[in-house]
Every structure is written in structure tokens, then in C-alpha cells.
Amino acid sequence: MMYQKIAIAILLLCSQVLPASASNNSELTTDDLHAVVATAKTWKGTPYRYGGKDKSGIDCSHFVYSVYNRVFEGISYRVAEDFPRSADFNRTQSPHVGDTIYFPGVNGASAHVGILTDVASKKFIGAQSSTGVKEASFAKGTYWGKRPYQILSLLSK
């Protein structure tokens, strides 16, 4: 019984002393997420190149990494398949503009990632092999809308 009281006292003390970001992951601001989208749109028209890392040609994972790293320094690079397991991202049921959309690889198609630009209209921007960096739709009936997807939110930086 005494140990329970001590544990509760420690928990209460820690919850008052630690900043909120140390005890939970607070959400990014709307301005942060809009900065992500604005940065992503500066890449429009960049051609697709597998393994590409710059505006002469870029692939989807380098695109998402480059955008997020420009807005939030210190984001680690990862290939598309690794986004759902990343410590930087968390799956969400409440998508926001600026979140990441992840399409797992299915039926021989590679995994793909992009950045949400319009939640209501189901649009994202990404480096597609067929179009380069361009906005695309994941609404029902579209190419991307036929694939399963997850929305991943960047954890506070």
C-alpha cells in the first residue's frame, strides 16, 4: 500500500514538472503544416528519378524527406516502406493538410508516400514515376484511390 502511494506521488510530481512535450506528443500547429504544403508545392514539375535527391530528379521518399527536413530540421531519411514504422510519424484517423499519406506495396507495386494538400478533396502531392512531382487524387475510383493507404502525422519536433 505504501509503495502505491509513493508511485502515485511520483507520477503526480512528474506530470507537473515535465513539459507537455516530454509526457506526450503534442500536435504541430496549422502554420507548421501549411509550411509543409507550401514547401512541397515549390517542387512541382520536378521530374521523377528513382533514387533522385534534388530538383533535377527525385523519388517519393526523398521528396517527402526533403520537404519535411526543410521545415523541421533533423528528420531522418527513410525509404517509403519504412514510414509506418518510423519514430517520427504516427498513424492518425484525423488527417490534416501537411500529413503524410502512405500507400503500402501491393500486387507488385512499390510502396509510395506523399503529402496531403486537401483532405476534403482527397488530394496529395508526391513524386510519381509517371508525372514527377504533381498533385494527385486518392478519391474513390482514381488510380491511388484503388490502393489501400494510411495517413501518418509527423510527431512534434
Side-chain angles (χ1 to χ4, degrees), residues 1 5 19-20 27 30 33 39 46 60 73 83 92 103 139 157:
M1 182 67 122
K5 289 180 182 178
E27 289 187 19
T30 301
L33 295 171
T39 302
T46 301
C60 68
E73 293 181 20
F83 271 78
T92 183
F103 300 91
K157 285 291 159 197

Side-chain angles (χ1 to χ4, degrees), residues 26-147:
S26 59
E27 289 187 19
L28 301 172
T29 69
T30 301
D31 288 345
D32 292 334
L33 295 171
H34 283 284
V36 167
V37 173
T39 302
K41 288 183 176 184
T42 67
W43 286 81
K44 277 187 175 181
T46 301
Y48 178 86
R49 189 174 82 227
Y50 180 76
K53 300 177 184 179
D54 57 35
K55 290 204 177 183
S56 67
I58 197 159
D59 65 21
C60 68
S61 56
H62 282 99
F63 168 71
V64 172
Y65 162 75
S66 295
V67 169
Y68 279 116
N69 198 49
R70 174 85 174 187
V71 178
F72 310 103
E73 293 181 20
I75 300 293
S76 301
Y77 172 76
R78 67 201 38 84
V79 296
E81 292 83 5
D82 291 342
F83 271 78
R85 294 180 296 280
S86 165
D88 291 328
F89 293 88
N90 193 21
R91 190 171 182 179
T92 183
Q93 298 297 321
S94 301
H96 296 283
V97 166
D99 283 343
T100 298
I101 186 165
Y102 167 75
F103 300 91
V106 292
N107 298 329
S110 298
H112 184 65
V113 288
I115 297 171
L116 292 180
T117 56
D118 188 329
V119 176
S121 297
K122 294 194 167 199
K123 291 186 179 177
F124 73 98
I125 188 169
Q128 282 76 248
S129 59
S130 60
T131 63
V133 178
K134 185 176 179 181
E135 280 187 277
S137 175
F138 62 102
K140 197 170 194 159
T142 64
Y143 173 80
W144 293 109
K146 295 174 186 173
R147 290 184 59 176

